[in-house]
Amino acid sequence: SGLPLLDGARRRLLVFRCPSLAARCAAAGRGAAGAGPGPCAPRRWGCGFRPVRVAVVAKTTRYEFEQQRYRYAGLSEEDLKQLLALKGSNYAGLLERHRIHTKNVEHVVDSLRNERIEVRLVKRREYNEETVRWADAVISAGGDGTMLLAASKVFDKFKPVIGVNTDPERSEGHLCLPVRYTHSFPEALQKLYRGEFRWQWRQRIRLYLEGTGINPTPVDLHEQQLSQEQHSRAHINERFQHQRSDISGPHLLPVRALNEVFIGESLSSRYAVCSVLFRENFKSCKPSFKFSLHRASYYEISVDDGPWEKQKSSGLNVCTGTGSKAWSYNINKVAHQAVEEILKIAKKHGSLNMPLNTELVQKVTNDYNESLLYSPEEPKMFFSIREPIVNRVFSSSRQRGFSSKVCVRSRCWDACMVVDGGTSFEFNDGAIASIMIDTEDALCTVLLEE
């Protein structure tokens, strides 16, 4: 075991157990026995970790969001309450969830300060690269979305990011510590101090963008809470605020995907709308009508440097082992009903020589769905083509599968490449994305010994 390498005096402050092992790792520039990628990357229980400075990134609750959203209108709390009621939202419920979250954040911060750890508590807008550089470790206080946000700005492979679920009743928190530590965070700190944990190196996806007329400037979707129309407008604004790059070679984008990358048209259907306009004397009006046009995502794809294939679909999802439990799983999982119907057809054709019962159907269903999951530490990706269109022009030889590299050439008109649901890049005709994993991009997280 060991601990992430840090510079000079800071490292000496952090190591308080097994210093000789840490020193040997630092001197050798490589991991200890059983280590993972990089210097002192432990995979077993062992040396303790005691940070001096910690940044706590707290989520913006729905109550806070609604307050900020209507602040410009000067609404009172009573006005906000009535407005939320008109929208079918429960003001009292939102306020209660906000209070629960706030109390749990205070518990985490107080626990750290009681251990004489310097704490910087920040919200989304205040969380930046300077805060990450300042901290020895980053704690996300929220749910999985907050964990993704906290991880998005950490590029140092040896800076731990730890998630605390501040509302376990409403948030799954797959990426966070077990929920019991939400109310007993000092216990988690003591386990870190005693070395009763191991580092978990969650692999992340890196992206290269090249081609004609590309715009490598990201749009922060979390910050802007954009509608689809605003989303497109934001890309247009960014395009004119920054000169479009004429990049001859691949450009490494300033993001890493912990969960997944999704590529597709911004809207799968568009509406043309003509409103009714009445004059004051009601003698003239203009008729109103709507029509919808389906727009599939059109692109070419190459998997593991294989041949390019033209495809039309509802989009492409590429995930990590961490993301295999998230959107990718829900795209690809099969239902008990579907498996049962397929097995009935197989039995009808004489291909199934065993009794067809609920236990068998459930076992087959579970086995298939579990095959979609893999370890967050495995340096491979899983790609999924959503609802591919197959005809004499377009094909889909592989609808899903593991890969080490995926390249996509856009033939879209208004498409985006979205990273972890929070950062979007324009991805239109002529742009080429190369999607891959580099172990140097791994995110350092912890698994506490239970």
Side-chain angles (χ1 to χ4, degrees), residues 9 14 49 56 65 99 108 121 140 191 220 222 266 275 277 284 351-352 356 363 383 402 430 448:
L14 295 178
F49 173 67
V56 177
F65 170 72
R99 288 172 176 166
V108 170
L121 177 62
S140 76
K191 287 194 172 186
D220 187 339
H222 285 304
S266 297
S275 301
L277 298 177
S284 63
S351 302
L352 187 65
L356 184 57
K363 186 177 187 310
F383 71 91
F402 292 102
L448 297 181

Side-chain angles (χ1 to χ4, degrees), residues 243-310:
Q243 288 287 332
R244 280 181 154 242
S245 304
D246 295 325
I247 300 174
S248 57
H251 179 79
L252 178 61
L253 297 181
V255 293
R256 301 293 182 269
L258 179 57
N259 261 358
E260 76 272 315
V261 177
F262 179 76
I263 293 175
E265 286 281 2
S266 297
L267 295 177
S268 59
S269 62
R270 294 179 175 275
Y271 289 93
V273 182
C274 288
S275 301
V276 178
L277 298 177
F278 290 99
R279 304 299 183 188
E280 284 186 313
N281 57 11
F282 294 95
K283 289 184 179 179
S284 63
C285 68
K286 186 182 293 185
S288 173
F289 62 91
K290 294 183 179 182
F291 61 90
S292 171
L293 297 174
H294 176 71
R295 177 170 287 179
S297 301
Y298 176 24
Y299 54 88
E300 297 173 40
I301 183 172
S302 168
V303 177
D304 291 333
D305 294 319
W308 289 89
E309 183 175 271
K310 289 183 179 179

Side-chain angles (χ1 to χ4, degrees), residues 19-201:
S20 58
L21 177 57
R24 289 200 305 272
C25 290
R30 54 198 290 263
C40 289
R43 302 181 67 88
R44 299 183 302 207
W45 319 114
C47 297
F49 173 67
R50 187 177 191 122
V52 175
R53 297 173 176 173
V54 170
V56 177
V57 185
K59 77 172 182 179
T60 299
T61 64
R62 170 75 187 284
Y63 171 77
E64 290 174 308
F65 170 72
E66 295 292 353
Q67 273 194 325
Q68 295 169 11
R69 186 180 182 187
Y70 295 109
R71 183 175 296 164
Y72 73 92
L75 295 183
S76 66
E77 281 293 302
E78 185 60 32
D79 292 333
L80 179 60
K81 183 176 181 180
Q82 293 179 13
L83 181 60
L84 289 173
L86 289 173
K87 294 167 56 177
S89 297
N90 186 329
Y91 171 86
L94 294 183
L95 183 58
E96 178 62 20
R97 304 325 300 180
H98 169 73
R99 288 172 176 166
I100 290 172
H101 160 76
T102 302
K103 181 180 178 181
N104 288 329
V105 171
E106 290 173 351
H107 172 66
V108 170
V109 172
D110 290 344
S111 300
L112 291 166
R113 286 176 175 161
N114 288 340
E115 295 292 330
R116 300 182 183 276
I117 296 173
E118 190 175 350
V119 180
R120 185 181 290 184
L121 177 62
V122 296
K123 289 285 190 178
R124 181 183 299 277
R125 291 184 178 182
E126 305 156 339
Y127 183 51
N128 52 34
E129 288 75 12
E130 189 279 325
T131 299
V132 173
R133 287 194 297 270
W134 171 87
D136 299 321
V138 177
I139 293 178
S140 76
D144 287 338
T146 310
M147 180 67 175
L148 292 174
L149 167 68
S152 69
K153 298 187 185 301
V154 177
F155 292 90
D156 183 346
K157 181 179 177 180
F158 303 109
K159 183 160 294 186
V161 180
I162 303 169
V164 178
N165 188 345
T166 56
D167 192 1
E169 292 181 11
R170 297 295 180 92
S171 175
E172 188 65 34
H174 283 298
L175 303 179
C176 301
L177 296 178
V179 295
R180 69 188 185 89
Y181 295 112
T182 297
H183 305 294
S184 59
F185 192 68
E187 183 183 346
L189 286 177
Q190 293 304 316
K191 287 194 172 186
L192 289 175
Y193 296 167
R194 295 193 297 264
E196 296 173 4
F197 71 95
R198 80 167 178 87
W199 302 112
Q200 183 177 49
W201 304 89

Side-chain angles (χ1 to χ4, degrees), residues 209-215 244-247 411 428-432:
L209 193 60
E210 60 183 310
T212 58
I214 66 171
N215 181 10
R244 280 181 154 242
S245 304
D246 295 325
I247 300 174
R411 296 293 180 225
N428 291 325
D429 192 23
I432 301 173

Side-chain angles (χ1 to χ4, degrees), residues 179-408:
V179 295
R180 69 188 185 89
Y181 295 112
T182 297
H183 305 294
S184 59
F185 192 68
E187 183 183 346
L189 286 177
Q190 293 304 316
K191 287 194 172 186
L192 289 175
Y193 296 167
R194 295 193 297 264
E196 296 173 4
F197 71 95
R198 80 167 178 87
W199 302 112
Q200 183 177 49
W201 304 89
R202 293 182 179 269
Q203 300 300 319
R204 296 192 286 184
I205 294 172
R206 63 166 51 189
L207 300 156
Y208 292 90
L209 193 60
E210 60 183 310
T212 58
I214 66 171
N215 181 10
T217 305
V219 170
D220 187 339
L221 302 183
H222 285 304
E223 175 64 27
Q224 299 191 35
Q225 295 290 328
L226 302 175
S227 67
Q228 292 290 358
E229 181 181 357
Q230 290 171 319
H231 184 183
S232 297
R233 189 182 302 126
H235 276 300
I236 292 171
N237 291 340
E238 293 285 358
R239 189 184 313 167
F240 286 99
Q241 289 172 6
H242 304 272
Q243 288 287 332
R244 280 181 154 242
S245 304
D246 295 325
I247 300 174
S248 57
H251 179 79
L252 178 61
L253 297 181
V255 293
R256 301 293 182 269
L258 179 57
N259 261 358
E260 76 272 315
V261 177
F262 179 76
I263 293 175
E265 286 281 2
S266 297
L267 295 177
S268 59
S269 62
R270 294 179 175 275
Y271 289 93
V273 182
C274 288
S275 301
V276 178
L277 298 177
F278 290 99
R279 304 299 183 188
E280 284 186 313
N281 57 11
F282 294 95
K283 289 184 179 179
S284 63
C285 68
K286 186 182 293 185
S288 173
F289 62 91
K290 294 183 179 182
F291 61 90
S292 171
L293 297 174
H294 176 71
R295 177 170 287 179
S297 301
Y298 176 24
Y299 54 88
E300 297 173 40
I301 183 172
S302 168
V303 177
D304 291 333
D305 294 319
W308 289 89
E309 183 175 271
K310 289 183 179 179
Q311 290 188 348
K312 271 191 176 181
S313 71
S314 295
L316 166 69
N317 181 290
V318 184
C319 78
T320 62
T322 298
S324 69
K325 292 184 177 180
W327 190 10
S328 174
Y329 179 78
N330 289 290
I331 290 173
N332 295 291
K333 70 178 181 180
V334 295
H336 182 281
Q337 179 183 353
V339 172
E340 183 177 19
E341 291 172 357
I342 291 171
L343 291 178
K344 283 180 179 179
I345 294 173
K347 190 173 182 65
K348 178 181 176 181
H349 288 277
S351 302
L352 187 65
N353 298 318
M354 62 178 67
L356 184 57
N357 52 44
T358 302
E359 183 180 353
L360 174 63
V361 173
Q362 193 61 57
K363 186 177 187 310
V364 173
T365 303
N366 292 343
D367 287 352
Y368 175 81
N369 289 340
E370 288 173 8
S371 73
L372 302 171
L373 308 176
Y374 61 106
S375 169
E377 296 179 285
E378 286 193 61
K380 64 181 182 181
M381 305 180 299
F382 188 82
F383 71 91
S384 309
I385 311 298
R386 296 187 63 204
E387 302 164 340
I389 297 173
V390 179
N391 53 34
R392 63 182 181 84
V393 178
F394 299 100
S395 59
S396 180
S397 57
R398 293 178 66 195
Q399 190 170 339
R400 66 183 66 85
F402 292 102
S403 65
S404 59
K405 180 180 179 182
V406 175
C407 294
V408 184

